[in-house]
Amino acid sequence: MLQNALTVITKIKQPEVEPLRQFLTVIGKDIKGKTNNIYVLFEEHHTTHFARWVIINECGDPHLMFSSNHDGTWQEYIDLLIEKSGPALDEIWGRCE
């Protein structure tokens, strides 16, 4: 199957930068969900080869970038993300404009 890329960049609401950073840190320090991360378990996202969230502060307003490489169409991938991690995605992108 052909591997595809997805990149999403959104502006973060100013008062939400630090809470978002803290939430993403919980996920990033435990990507397999062995201790504190019950939100995004990438092992369940069987079509994901690589994924990351990055907070970009260097260019004015803070932005969140999500980047991934995955199998299948972007719509199939988005559907899988929502199925496996919908509440966490609401928590993450709910902090963005």
Side-chain angles (χ1 to χ4, degrees):
M1 185 174 284
L2 184 61
Q3 197 175 114
N4 293 297
L6 174 68
T7 300
V8 178
I9 300 173
T10 56
K11 185 177 174 183
I12 304 169
K13 298 172 190 172
Q14 190 60 44
E16 300 294 337
V17 175
E18 196 51 40
L20 178 58
R21 183 183 319 280
Q22 291 171 8
F23 187 73
L24 293 175
T25 297
V26 169
I27 295 168
K29 286 187 173 184
D30 184 25
I31 62 170
K32 295 189 177 194
K34 305 267 186 217
T35 56
N36 295 324
N37 174 21
I38 58 170
Y39 311 106
V40 179
L41 307 175
F42 280 110
E43 288 182 343
E44 295 179 357
H45 299 196
H46 59 277
T47 61
T48 302
H49 296 278
F50 169 84
R52 71 175 171 187
W53 280 279
V54 177
I55 295 176
I56 304 167
N57 284 317
E58 288 78 25
C59 301
D61 294 325
H63 286 75
L64 176 67
M65 181 183 77
F66 174 74
S67 178
S68 69
N69 290 333
H70 60 89
D71 292 331
T73 67
W74 69 267
Q75 187 61 56
E76 292 168 335
Y77 186 62
I78 296 295
D79 290 346
L80 179 65
L81 290 175
I82 291 169
E83 174 189 335
K84 298 294 184 181
S85 303
L89 300 180
D90 287 342
E91 178 75 20
I92 292 166
W93 275 294
R95 297 178 185 278
C96 298
E97 293 184 3

